[in-house]
Amino acid sequence: MDPIVGRMTLKEWVAVESDSVQPVLRLRRELLRMMGLAADRLRNLGARVDLVDAGFQQLPDGQSLPIPPIILAELGNDPKKPTVCFYGHLDVQPARQEDGWVTDPHTLTEVDGKLYGRGTTDNKGPVLAWINAVSTFRALDEDLPVNVKFVIEGMEEAGSLALEELVQKEKAGFFSSVDYIVISDNLWISRRTPALTCGTRGNSYFMVEVKCRDQDFHSGTFGGILNEPMADLVALLGSLVDSSGRILIPGIYDHVAPVTEEEKRTYEAIDLDLEEYRNSSQVKKFLFDTKEELLMHLWRYPSLSIHGIEGAFHEPGAKTVIPGRVIGKFSIRLVPHMNISVVEKQVKQHLDYIFSKRNSSNQMTVSMTLGLHPWVANIRDNQYLAAKRAIKTVFGTEPDMIRDGSTIPIAKIFQGTIRKSVMMLPLGAVDDGEHSQKEKINRWNYIEGSKLFAAFFLEMAKLH
Amino acid sequence: MDPIVGRMTLKEWVAVESDSVQPVLRLRRELLRMMGLAADRLRNLGARVDLVDAGFQQLPDGQSLPIPPIILAELGNDPKKPTVCFYGHLDVQPARQEDGWVTDPHTLTEVDGKLYGRGTTDNKGPVLAWINAVSTFRALDEDLPVNVKFVIEGMEEAGSLALEELVQKEKAGFFSSVDYIVISDNLWISRRTPALTCGTRGNSYFMVEVKCRDQDFHSGTFGGILNEPMADLVALLGSLVDSSGRILIPGIYDHVAPVTEEEKRTYEAIDLDLEEYRNSSQVKKFLFDTKEELLMHLWRYPSLSIHGIEGAFHEPGAKTVIPGRVIGKFSIRLVPHMNISVVEKQVKQHLDYIFSKRNSSNQMTVSMTLGLHPWVANIRDNQYLAAKRAIKTVFGTEPDMIRDGSTIPIAKIFQGTIRKSVMMLPLGAVDDGEHSQKEKINRWNYIEGSKLFAAFFLEMAKLH
């Protein structure tokens, strides 16, 4: 492996503003370009590459935007070797300099061994680490110990549109020869100890619109005689969660799996330095004081976050406006055995009730725009064993067996559709700040991660 | 007067994005250009024009931006004539096509006799109507019946920065010869009946910041273990006003002037068609059902509006972010005899109390960024009499004697500083939509308004 070449490509990839969240044609073009760059890189490795057309995304306003094609690629088809399929995504969260970035979000910038930039850790860096591992064997003129496949999409941050459909369609085709799926789209729980991930939370994303009229009002000319949409909306959003983090929607905890004694012991084993975690997070105080409580509330209990409001005044300065139509956005992270459609119903009933109590003359509309299942892995599987050995080889330590509070819906999709073992093998450190204004991957994690994937190939071949 | 020339200039003026609200250098340059255009126009009338330097605006982030110069101009100084000083402003509220404008906000567009565009009614149109009235006398080669002065600023929408200071400074200079001040920066209460305005509400603008850290969080990785700033903020904003429009801040109504029987009768006399008002406002239902209640809640009771949130996710689409630092913005319209510093104290105490109850580990900061006094006129004054006569001449009707729910702080500044009669003489119809995405002035109002100002000059000369 040539880390310099690897970093050069990461720099090139980070420079592409492949934001899938904002439904804007310009950004979709960047996504298309991104997928093209990745396809070229894989072809240079000698892989057979398909750019599968993924159709169009229908927007709420009736318009449609192209979905970037999904890459299906393969390298080797020796029936004596196991076939490992790597999933990754090359789309990113929105990032603008004015959001508070210190470095330009689309210029890979190294500071003290940290490679800053949008997408460095989520998920362009890990995708390239896997490619680096494969190319190492080619550079050394050695046979790949495993057959390798790639599924690389460009809509993960927008809910992996079109991916599930493709997986269904290729179940008996591209995926029929796949033995194992590896995903590397999350983080360790510490800065130094590698981890293996065996579960993720799901997510249900809600939009609640309150409308008086389409145009805004002047707060002098109309203030005092209106049911103002913002007043309704803050009341609705304020009814969702209390200041201890408990979700106030009736029935929401009914289907959450009870905590067993065995499960409790797994949290005790995790090597988490609370003080370091708090410091690296730059948070004065968490809602919970013990490691066990903290991990359970991140991994196995649902949480509700309010993300923002569309349609209200959001710029610096003082505008005296009564917004005419506003959309509040919040999401609930789901855990076993919560049911998405039950959650949707509970949320709608709750908001209907709160809104009806206000006796407002405005119109309220609630929609769930995303519903993603939680996922739990079988950690007694061969590839978990191979990954543990590879971690021991490269890092000289046992991994933390962790869950992830965030949602990687593809894990559940693969497990449910092609019914093969799914493993999540993160490369990034806990302080990588995915989705934040200081996203980075450490140079060390990027290089050791590339080595880890190569070692994993060797261990997989041995176990097969 | 040549209405064609007048409209050409209005088109030219509307094309300048003279937004004073967003503290951005590009927009300040547009403001400078706007003031230059107006100065040229006044010089062409034969006026002596001063562009008075107004210094710099200090921003909360430590930066500073130039304040556009204030125009002081005069035409005629015959000691036998009364001197009428016209106040207007040429800055506008922010306006972007994507806010929901049907026409381009900076291209004057006539549809069915309505001239759409940002600034048409607030306040570029009325400023030009006054200029049209003056130029009519010159075009007819007639002597102006009054001496005319102009104070034209470019920071009204941002709180008239630097203006009060200038008025103070020029009290014994430019303003020493002024007998009357006329302001035309508000609207009629109907579509057809002209109005005279004899009072305005004040305004106190608040920002409440809740901060966990400067960077945002990923809601998967941190959801469930944080006091999320947005949860704190919606609770704070949700504590301000109930769904009947009543402000919930303790003590806020203590100093509101009691309603007298005489005052009650003035509301009964106003010619307001509630049904038409509701329709033209495109509002399904107001908080009050009678004309009297409606007017009192617009004019003589305080109101609280929540304008929006800075720092949260505000774009279309679904971003799974926990904003790290958010600023809620709201304002309270003030009425006699509320005291600004008392209101400031009450708001801060209330928010401190609500926040302390949440026991949140975040930091809250409340600041009042604008405090503007309410104003009430003496309607037995000569210029109110002259305006009534001029309205009778041009429109053939008596004006509605109204107040304005919005804030024109300069009225109070002139009244308090130079102690001359201040009159507000609006030209625009009730449905002009200032500050909204469909701001317009009717061609009819613009032309008859220009005539009204000319007739007013003649009546003033007679009364003198």
Side-chain angles (χ1 to χ4, degrees), chain A residues 21-23 93-94 96 99 157 201 203 205 207 212-228 230-232 234 237-238 241-243 277 280-288 294 297-298 303-323 329 331 333 357-358 361-363 369 405-406 434-438, chain B residues 21-23 93-94 96 99 157 201 203 205 207 212-228 230-232 234 237-238 241-243 277 280-288 294 297-298 303-323 329 331 333 357-358 361-363 369 405-406 434-438:
Chain A
V21 174
Q22 298 183 73
Q93 285 278 318
R96 292 185 195 166
D99 294 340
E157 303 292 358
R201 290 194 291 190
N203 198 13
Y205 204 103
M207 306 215 180
C212 178
R213 68 175 191 187
D214 282 320
Q215 287 83 26
D216 293 340
F217 300 87
H218 185 306
S219 68
T221 323
F222 284 92
I225 62 168
L226 293 180
N227 275 125
E228 302 189 5
M230 275 296 280
D232 285 340
V234 297
L237 296 177
V241 62
D242 71 15
S243 60
Y277 181 54
S280 74
S281 308
Q282 295 176 271
V283 171
K284 214 171 75 186
K285 195 177 177 324
F286 289 119
L287 287 172
F288 307 97
L294 212 69
H297 280 90
L298 278 178
S303 65
L304 190 149
S305 296
I306 302 167
H307 309 297
I309 294 173
E310 183 184 336
F313 178 58
H314 62 265
E315 288 168 79
K319 187 175 179 183
T320 52
V321 69
I322 300 173
K329 300 180 183 184
S331 66
R333 296 281 162 178
K357 276 204 308 183
R358 291 182 63 79
S361 55
N362 295 322
Q363 284 176 284
T369 60
S406 59
E434 5 75 289
H435 293 213
S436 85
Q437 299 97 323
K438 45 159 210 171
Chain B
V21 174
Q22 299 181 73
Q93 284 278 319
R96 292 186 194 164
D99 293 341
E157 303 292 358
R201 292 193 288 190
N203 198 13
Y205 203 103
M207 305 213 182
C212 178
R213 68 174 192 188
D214 281 319
Q215 287 84 26
D216 294 339
F217 299 88
H218 185 306
S219 68
T221 324
F222 283 93
I225 61 168
L226 293 181
N227 276 125
E228 301 190 5
M230 275 296 280
D232 285 340
V234 297
L237 296 176
V241 61
D242 71 16
S243 60
Y277 182 54
S280 73
S281 308
Q282 295 175 272
V283 172
K284 214 171 74 185
K285 195 178 180 320
F286 289 120
L287 287 172
F288 307 97
L294 213 67
H297 280 90
L298 279 178
S303 65
L304 189 149
S305 296
I306 302 167
H307 307 298
I309 294 172
E310 182 184 336
F313 177 58
H314 62 266
E315 289 170 79
K319 189 175 178 184
T320 51
V321 69
I322 299 172
K329 300 179 182 186
S331 66
R333 295 282 162 179
K357 276 204 308 183
R358 293 183 62 79
S361 54
N362 295 322
Q363 284 176 283
T369 59
S406 60
E434 5 75 291
H435 293 211
S436 85
Q437 299 97 326
K438 45 159 210 171

Side-chain angles (χ1 to χ4, degrees), chain B residues 170-213:
Chain B
E170 291 290 341
K171 185 178 166 179
F174 179 84
F175 292 105
S176 62
S177 60
V178 168
D179 300 304
Y180 304 94
I181 307 270
V182 177
I183 302 170
S184 182
D185 191 21
N186 60 321
L187 300 176
W188 300 348
I189 189 124
S190 92
R191 291 192 187 195
R192 303 292 302 182
T193 309
L196 265 171
T197 304
C198 44
T200 67
R201 292 193 288 190
N203 198 13
S204 51
Y205 203 103
F206 290 89
M207 305 213 182
V208 46
E209 175 182 295
V210 181
K211 177 178 165 177
C212 178
R213 68 174 192 188

Side-chain angles (χ1 to χ4, degrees), chain A residues 99-364:
Chain A
D99 294 340
W101 283 76
V102 174
T103 63
D104 177 61
H106 302 295
T107 303
L108 189 78
T109 309
E110 180 164 359
V111 181
D112 294 336
K114 294 169 181 131
L115 307 171
Y116 288 93
R118 176 60 89 223
T120 45
T121 200
D122 182 15
N123 184 231
K124 292 174 178 176
V127 171
L128 276 169
W130 186 272
I131 290 174
N132 292 340
V134 173
S135 59
T136 302
F137 287 95
R138 299 192 65 84
L140 299 173
D141 229 2
E142 283 190 18
D143 238 26
L144 264 176
V146 293
N147 301 317
V148 178
K149 292 199 168 192
F150 295 85
V151 190
I152 302 181
E153 65 155 326
M155 289 298 281
E156 196 271 344
E157 303 292 358
S160 291
L161 299 178
L163 184 64
E164 184 163 9
E165 201 183 340
L166 178 73
V167 174
Q168 290 280 3
K169 203 174 131 200
E170 291 289 341
K171 185 179 165 180
F174 180 84
F175 292 104
S176 62
S177 60
V178 168
D179 301 304
Y180 302 95
I181 308 270
V182 176
I183 301 169
S184 181
D185 191 22
N186 62 319
L187 300 176
W188 302 347
I189 190 124
S190 92
R191 292 191 186 195
R192 303 293 300 183
T193 309
L196 263 172
T197 304
C198 44
T200 67
R201 290 194 291 190
N203 198 13
S204 53
Y205 204 103
F206 290 88
M207 306 215 180
V208 48
E209 176 184 295
V210 181
K211 177 179 165 177
C212 178
R213 68 175 191 187
D214 282 320
Q215 287 83 26
D216 293 340
F217 300 87
H218 185 306
S219 68
T221 323
F222 284 92
I225 62 168
L226 293 180
N227 275 125
E228 302 189 5
M230 275 296 280
D232 285 340
L233 186 59
V234 297
L236 291 165
L237 296 177
S239 75
L240 296 172
V241 62
D242 71 15
S243 60
S244 73
R246 188 161 179 88
I247 304 173
L248 300 173
I249 297 160
I252 201 86
Y253 290 99
D254 287 356
H255 298 102
V256 174
V259 185
T260 63
E261 285 305 314
E262 190 194 345
E263 187 193 330
K264 267 189 194 162
R265 279 191 295 276
T266 64
Y267 302 114
E268 292 164 16
I270 305 283
D271 178 28
L272 175 72
D273 181 332
L274 265 192
E275 196 56 24
E276 188 190 300
Y277 181 54
R278 210 180 49 70
N279 284 339
S280 74
S281 308
Q282 295 176 271
V283 171
K284 214 171 75 186
K285 195 177 177 324
F286 289 119
L287 287 172
F288 307 97
D289 295 327
T290 68
K291 180 175 72 177
E292 290 77 9
E293 276 184 300
L294 212 69
L295 293 177
M296 285 198 284
H297 280 90
L298 278 178
W299 293 350
R300 62 105 56 232
Y301 286 123
S303 65
L304 190 149
S305 296
I306 302 167
H307 309 297
I309 294 173
E310 183 184 336
F313 178 58
H314 62 265
E315 288 168 79
K319 187 175 179 183
T320 52
V321 69
I322 300 173
R325 188 173 77 93
V326 286
I327 304 171
K329 300 180 183 184
F330 65 93
S331 66
I332 302 173
R333 296 281 162 178
L334 306 174
V335 296
H337 307 289
M338 293 170 85
N339 177 299
I340 291 179
S341 46
V342 171
V343 167
E344 181 178 13
K345 208 168 145 188
Q346 288 167 337
V347 168
K348 287 185 174 175
Q349 278 179 348
H350 171 72
L351 290 176
D352 279 342
Y353 171 69
I354 299 289
F355 190 66
S356 70
K357 276 204 308 183
R358 291 182 63 79
N359 198 25
S360 167
S361 55
N362 295 322
Q363 284 176 284
M364 182 192 71

